């Protein structure tokens, strides 16, 4: 049995502004009222994650950091099930009202939706 790494190394992150722009141009979307995950196929050979959590929605740095930490952890655990897409998680108004288990459950549903969308687009 091959052991899969569950690290979240630099290669799994969207770092450059042009990577974010690429995803924002023509994305597949999965949304809840508090969060949206945008996705676009990449040619890197693995999924990558970018995060946008605006001060407008979460004033305190520790609140923004909590959301980012939960997003990264959710992505890290699912990275081997996800398609080779660039994902950008966009926080929206009301995200601070969700507790950790509720937010993690929302993310899990959105990831599953993206997995289904990717399978549908690859089969057609």
């Amino acid at each position: 049995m091959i052991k899969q790494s569950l690290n979240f190394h630099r290669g799994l992150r969207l770092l450059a502004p042009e990577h974010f722009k690429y995803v924002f141009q023509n994305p597949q979307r999965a949304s809840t009222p508090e969060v949206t995950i945008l996705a676009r196929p990449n040619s890197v050979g693995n999924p990558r994650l970018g995060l946008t959590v605006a001060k407008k929605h979460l004033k305190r740095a520790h609140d923004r950091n909590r959301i980012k930490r939960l997003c990264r952890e959710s992505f890290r655990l699912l990275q081997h099930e996800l398609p080779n897409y660039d994902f950008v998680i966009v926080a929206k108004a009301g995200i601070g009202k969700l507790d950790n288990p509720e937010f993690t459950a929302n993310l899990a549903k959105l990831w599953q939706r993206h997995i289904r969308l990717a399978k549908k687009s690859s089969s057609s």
Side-chain angles (χ1 to χ4, degrees):
M1 187 170 136
I2 298 171
K3 187 172 186 280
Q4 291 180 324
S5 165
L6 291 177
N7 293 343
F8 186 63
H9 55 84
R10 190 173 174 87
L12 295 174
R13 300 177 189 170
L14 290 181
L15 300 169
E18 55 268 16
H19 296 154
F20 281 87
K21 282 182 193 151
Y22 170 74
V23 177
F24 286 128
Q25 280 168 3
N26 188 17
Q28 293 179 345
R29 297 170 187 270
S31 295
T32 67
E34 299 84 15
V35 67
T36 297
I37 301 180
L38 307 173
R40 246 184 118 185
N42 70 30
S43 57
V44 179
N46 57 281
R48 296 188 300 180
L49 178 68
L51 300 166
T52 59
V53 183
K55 278 186 184 176
K56 181 168 86 173
H57 303 310
L58 289 168
K59 298 284 186 245
R60 296 188 180 133
H62 69 263
D63 291 329
R64 292 192 300 278
N65 292 341
R66 175 180 71 95
I67 295 301
K68 290 182 203 174
R69 191 171 52 250
L70 290 169
C71 291
R72 284 192 299 265
E73 181 66 3
S74 171
F75 177 84
R76 185 183 73 80
L77 294 173
L78 275 174
Q79 65 184 310
H80 297 292
E81 296 172 42
L82 295 171
N84 294 336
Y85 278 47
D86 287 341
F87 296 98
V88 175
I89 297 179
V90 181
K92 299 195 292 195
I95 196 164
K97 293 182 178 72
L98 297 177
D99 61 7
N100 290 1
E102 203 175 357
F103 182 63
T104 305
N106 279 353
L107 278 179
K109 283 182 197 156
L110 295 176
W111 289 128
Q112 292 308 318
R113 173 134 191 263
H114 271 299
I115 291 168
R116 281 194 312 275
L117 285 170
K119 284 181 183 165
K120 194 167 30 167
S121 68
S122 69
S123 66
S124 57

